[in-house]
Amino acid sequence: MLQVYTGTGKGKTTAALGVALRGAGYNLKTIMFSFLKDDPNYGEARAFHYLPGFELEQVGRDAFVNFRNPDPVDLELCRQGWEKAKAAITEHRADIIILDELNIVLCTNMLPLAEVVDFLKQHKQELEIITTGRGAPEELIKAADLVTDMTELKHYFHKGVSSRNGIDH
């Protein structure tokens, strides 16, 4: 099935990681492709090797991405990451594929929406595919079997609390 975690609230990636944790309890293999992220200090990048059958590939760079005018290197890294994800899906290299931050990649046109949605629709019966990130496009939402909109009601960031290691990233 195709699951989509979107919205302005915290917890989209964390929800996807929760599915991977449950899957590990049943010996399911997970591959997570983290678009727009290449920071080895993210909690999941530091801990993924502790979870049996879990692989993580960061397919981005640790730099600000200008979504209105993306740097060509960011576009190329998104394309390369998408090609790797497609190969993992078509080759059935895992039971669960997490496409972290793909929603924002799609809503900012860093990858062609129709191409990605058509591919996911064709393959969602073969394995569990999860996308995360703000701004999931309507076409992706329509194609999905499960959609959760994480809505921020309150966040300590607005009180000046910085991102905390192991809790927020």
Side-chain angles (χ1 to χ4, degrees):
M1 297 217 186
L2 175 59
Q3 299 185 25
V4 175
Y5 296 100
T6 194
T8 59
K10 179 177 168 9
K12 298 172 286 291
T13 298
T14 305
L17 290 168
V19 174
L21 177 64
R22 283 185 170 164
Y26 286 91
N27 296 315
L28 299 180
K29 183 175 181 180
T30 298
I31 301 174
M32 180 172 171
F33 294 91
S34 291
F35 289 84
L36 309 175
K37 295 179 178 176
D38 188 28
D39 185 344
N41 288 314
Y42 275 101
E44 57 267 29
R46 295 169 59 110
F48 79 90
H49 59 275
Y50 293 115
L51 190 60
F54 188 94
E55 294 178 28
L56 171 69
E57 184 162 353
Q58 293 178 313
V59 290
R61 62 185 178 128
D62 187 22
F64 172 78
V65 176
N66 179 348
F67 294 117
R68 292 176 195 245
N69 185 23
D71 189 295
V73 71
D74 293 314
L75 295 172
E76 180 57 28
L77 289 170
C78 283
R79 173 52 65 184
Q80 289 174 10
W82 173 236
E83 294 302 324
K84 289 178 182 181
K86 285 186 352 186
I89 291 168
T90 57
E91 295 167 11
H92 301 270
R93 294 201 317 244
D95 304 292
I96 302 166
I97 301 284
I98 300 171
L99 304 170
D100 188 39
E101 303 298 348
L102 183 68
N103 299 346
I104 190 122
V105 166
L106 294 177
C107 81
T108 58
N109 299 309
M110 293 179 73
L111 285 173
L113 178 61
E115 172 192 330
V116 173
V117 171
D118 288 346
F119 179 87
L120 296 177
K121 283 170 34 178
Q122 289 174 1
H123 294 278
K124 68 179 187 171
Q125 295 81 15
E126 302 164 15
L127 67 163
E128 205 71 16
I129 302 171
I130 302 171
T131 72
T132 71
R134 293 172 181 244
E138 190 60 34
E139 294 88 338
L140 180 63
I141 290 171
K142 286 178 183 174
D145 301 290
L146 179 148
V147 177
T148 299
D149 186 345
M150 310 285 197
T151 303
E152 180 183 315
L153 299 179
K154 187 176 186 178
H155 198 303
Y156 42 78
F157 176 78
H158 301 294
K159 292 182 182 178
V161 177
S162 296
S163 182
R164 298 172 298 151
N165 292 339
I167 305 296
D168 300 306
H169 66 84

